[in-house]
Amino acid sequence: MQDQFIDKNMPSLISDLQKLIRQPSISAKNLGLEECARLVVQIMRKSGIKAEILRIGKNIPPTVYGEVRSVQNPNKTILFYNHYDVQPEEPLELWDDKPFSGKRRGNKIYGRGSADDKGELITRIKAVEAFLKTTGDVPCNIKFLVEGEEEVGSIHVEDYLRRYRNKLSCNAIIWEFGYVDEKDRPIISLGMKGLLYVELSLQESIRDAHSSLAVLIENPAWRLVEALKTLRDKNGKILIKDWYKEADNFTYEELKVIASEPFDEKSFKKEYGIRRFVGNKKGAEIRKALVGAPTCNIAGFTSGYEGPGAKTVLPSTALVKIDFRLIPKMNPLKQLRRLKQHLKEKGFGDIQVKMIHGEAASRTKISDKFVKTVRQAANESFGRSILSVSSAGTGPMYSFSKILKAPCISVGSTYVFSRIHSPNEFARIDLLRKTTKCMCKIIKKFSNQLP
Ligand SMILES: [Zn+2]
């Protein structure tokens, strides 16, 4: 019944998505956030969802809360997490249409936010609408949390979760996005890695000097390079004491799933123009690393003269930005203390360490009943699906599972090559349609899921 409703009402899904795209909402520039939050409320209300704006303070972007209480099954609740903010649209000259055009061409709708995350949001709103307009009820309680700072690191989402913990209480969470691969298989991802982002800086003298003085004055770039060399071996293993101490090994079940995850080595290497992987990884090692290996990555290094030609200078300062991806049970603050202790012990106690961002990893257990529910719904809607133990990326999933104490799964409509965060971002209409149906099936199956 819901499937036919969705097929018939695709024009309204498309026009509502276009409306959302045409309202710029760039969190990095604090542009259009209030307006977009109000638009989300309006679209939710039109679909029959009770919606309101939540606030936790002045100058903090609002969060939209949506809710539908179920008459037939008021004891179970599913929560959809999404975001209404988008990435900046630059570089402008690389867009074929205006970045916020919402233009449709064939099977695609273009514009910043079309896929990430307004396309995902609209499939969920329309799935709920399909139940309300065909049955007058929903199979279980539905809640929405739509935040406005995801693209700048979800700075306040944890504060919102704490403040509105009771309002947001639920038994299962669907994450804000999910990829569909090049063979149209939805990827059901059960987790995300954590992150510790730090800046290491060093000053050796009070001003830059003529480089002939390198016989007398220490060069901070050299010392920083020497310090960096102690952090990691050439195969990517992190050499900081106790770095892996709490990190879990994979369970037997996880290893089985990892072995079944597809990964095309050849096309991946071609895509990036590389000949080998770090540590010469092959086969299962590659997939295991993507899902569950901590990393230590130099994201940027600045020192001395970086302009054209030559300048013989001895810089006074050097700075490096490093991101460490973390896996479950690794606590970002504890890892930060280990890093500082390591530097001290290696004779680099004068290096300033500044934490920019810290986030713990999260992973829903494969044995959780909700995994099977989502898997079945995706298989029915797309013909097949891929289960993934964890994404290689980072998001605030841990805050959700910790505060709301519910399993969290990522599944959605975003085609892997839909150029999110880049010019000409698009959403595929066929995938929006399938995903809306998939969300209906998730809601229905979840409401029947045994405790
Ligand atoms: Zn994004």
Side-chain angles (χ1 to χ4, degrees):
M1 201 163 30
Q2 286 78 41
D3 279 6
Q4 285 95 307
F5 179 89
I6 291 162
D7 286 334
K8 218 178 115 204
N9 288 280
M10 279 307 286
S12 114
L13 183 150
I14 292 166
S15 72
D16 281 346
L17 175 54
Q18 287 172 321
K19 258 187 235 162
L20 282 169
I21 297 168
R22 287 171 190 152
Q23 171 58 58
S25 50
I26 307 163
S27 43
K29 302 179 186 175
N30 196 12
L31 191 137
L33 298 178
E34 288 286 338
E35 292 84 346
C36 196
R38 282 202 294 273
L39 181 60
V40 171
V41 167
Q42 196 190 318
I43 290 173
M44 280 186 173
R45 286 182 181 160
K46 201 182 70 180
S47 297
I49 299 163
K50 225 174 91 191
E52 61 175 306
I53 282 180
L54 306 180
R55 292 184 196 275
I56 54 164
K58 252 200 205 159
N59 304 324
I60 296 175
T63 287
V64 177
Y65 174 71
E67 183 188 289
V68 186
R69 291 266 157 199
S70 169
V71 177
Q72 52 186 293
N73 188 4
N75 298 319
K76 254 184 168 175
T77 306
I78 190 165
L79 178 121
F80 291 106
Y81 162 54
N82 285 91
H83 61 93
Y84 64 81
D85 65 318
V86 300
Q87 283 277 323
E89 68 278 38
E90 287 84 4
L92 283 173
E93 64 282 8
L94 296 181
W95 285 83
D96 293 336
D97 305 293
K98 291 216 164 91
F100 299 100
S101 72
K103 183 154 183 166
R104 177 181 178 174
R105 281 211 204 93
N107 186 32
K108 293 173 183 165
I109 299 173
Y110 288 87
R112 172 59 78 239
S114 55
D116 175 14
D117 186 45
K118 292 170 174 173
E120 300 281 16
L121 172 62
I122 204 71
T123 64
R124 294 152 186 210
I125 294 175
K126 293 293 169 180
V128 175
E129 183 185 274
F131 281 115
L132 290 172
K133 300 221 168 134
T134 54
T135 68
D137 193 15
V138 278
C140 62
N141 299 326
I142 312 277
K143 292 180 180 176
F144 282 90
L145 184 154
V146 189
E147 69 147 318
E149 294 178 294
E150 197 274 343
E151 300 293 6
V152 288
S154 297
I155 315 161
H156 295 100
V157 86
E158 190 162 326
D159 297 335
Y160 273 106
L161 288 167
R162 285 187 198 284
R163 173 81 62 89
Y164 296 101
R165 184 197 298 250
N166 292 333
K167 208 182 192 56
L168 297 166
S169 71
C170 61
N171 311 103
I173 303 162
I174 293 290
W175 200 243
E176 46 105 1
F177 80 98
Y179 284 119
V180 178
D181 78 358
E182 69 280 5
K183 290 179 178 153
D184 282 2
R185 297 173 293 193
I187 297 163
I188 297 165
S189 175
L190 306 186
M192 299 195 110
K193 282 184 179 173
L195 186 73
L196 170 64
Y197 200 112
V198 291
E199 223 173 66
L200 308 188
S201 59
L202 187 60
Q203 177 161 18
E204 289 289 352
S205 53
I206 56 167
R207 68 177 74 90
D208 287 359
H210 191 281
S211 74
S212 61
L213 296 177
V215 289
L216 299 177
I217 303 174
E218 279 278 14
N219 183 316
W222 268 124
R223 288 205 56 232
L224 208 46
V225 167
E226 282 153 17
L228 290 171
K229 286 277 285 173
T230 68
L231 297 181
R232 168 194 182 273
D233 75 12
K234 67 180 188 333
N235 294 324
K237 188 173 175 246
I238 297 160
L239 305 172
I240 300 166
K241 193 173 157 223
D242 290 337
W243 196 256
Y244 299 88
K245 193 174 174 192
E246 291 88 10
D248 268 348
N249 282 325
F250 290 119
T251 63
Y252 173 71
E253 270 181 316
E254 285 174 339
L255 284 173
K256 247 174 40 188
V257 170
I258 291 167
S260 71
E261 284 182 42
F263 182 84
D264 188 339
E265 268 182 62
K266 262 195 194 144
S267 66
F268 186 98
K269 283 180 177 162
K270 202 175 147 207
E271 179 75 26
Y272 289 97
I274 57 172
R275 255 173 297 184
R276 59 185 284 278
F277 291 127
V278 173
N280 254 325
K281 288 186 195 68
K282 294 201 167 65
E285 292 303 317
I286 298 167
R287 285 170 292 192
K288 276 202 223 165
L290 277 172
V291 168
T295 64
C296 168
N297 173 62
I298 297 176
F301 193 117
T302 316
S303 185
Y305 179 67
E306 290 171 43
K311 181 185 178 193
T312 47
V313 65
L314 195 169
S316 66
T317 61
L319 182 144
V320 65
K321 287 175 187 281
I322 302 177
D323 61 81
F324 293 94
R325 299 271 168 191
L326 309 175
I327 60 173
K329 306 255 171 83
M330 294 172 105
N331 176 320
L333 292 176
K334 210 174 200 177
Q335 301 304 104
L336 177 70
R337 282 198 295 274
R338 285 171 174 153
L339 167 67
K340 285 181 178 169
Q341 185 61 28
H342 170 91
L343 290 171
K344 218 160 134 191
E345 280 169 17
K346 297 285 175 188
F348 299 103
D350 55 333
I351 290 179
Q352 297 291 312
V353 182
K354 184 175 157 200
M355 182 169 110
I356 309 280
H357 188 70
E359 197 150 305
S362 177
R363 220 181 268 172
T364 291
K365 281 202 181 89
I366 295 174
S367 56
D368 195 290
K369 288 199 175 70
F370 191 47
V371 176
K372 204 169 165 191
T373 297
V374 172
R375 191 94 208 263
Q376 282 175 347
N379 285 342
E380 282 173 26
S381 315
F382 288 82
R384 52 200 174 150
S385 65
I386 290 167
L387 190 61
S388 167
V389 171
S390 173
S391 142
T394 298
M397 201 181 255
Y398 180 74
S399 304
F400 280 76
S401 49
K402 180 184 60 178
I403 295 168
L404 301 180
K405 298 191 171 47
C408 190
I409 296 182
S410 149
V411 59
S413 61
T414 302
Y415 178 54
V416 273
F417 300 123
S418 56
R419 306 188 197 134
I420 62 172
H421 296 203
S422 316
N424 299 326
E425 175 180 348
F426 66 86
R428 268 173 51 187
I429 295 169
D430 61 329
L431 296 181
L432 293 172
R433 180 199 300 251
K434 278 187 188 168
T435 305
T436 307
K437 291 178 181 176
C438 178
M439 291 300 156
C440 281
K441 292 188 171 71
I442 290 173
I443 294 169
K444 207 166 192 172
K445 285 177 194 293
F446 170 68
S447 70
N448 293 323
Q449 187 186 297
L450 294 170

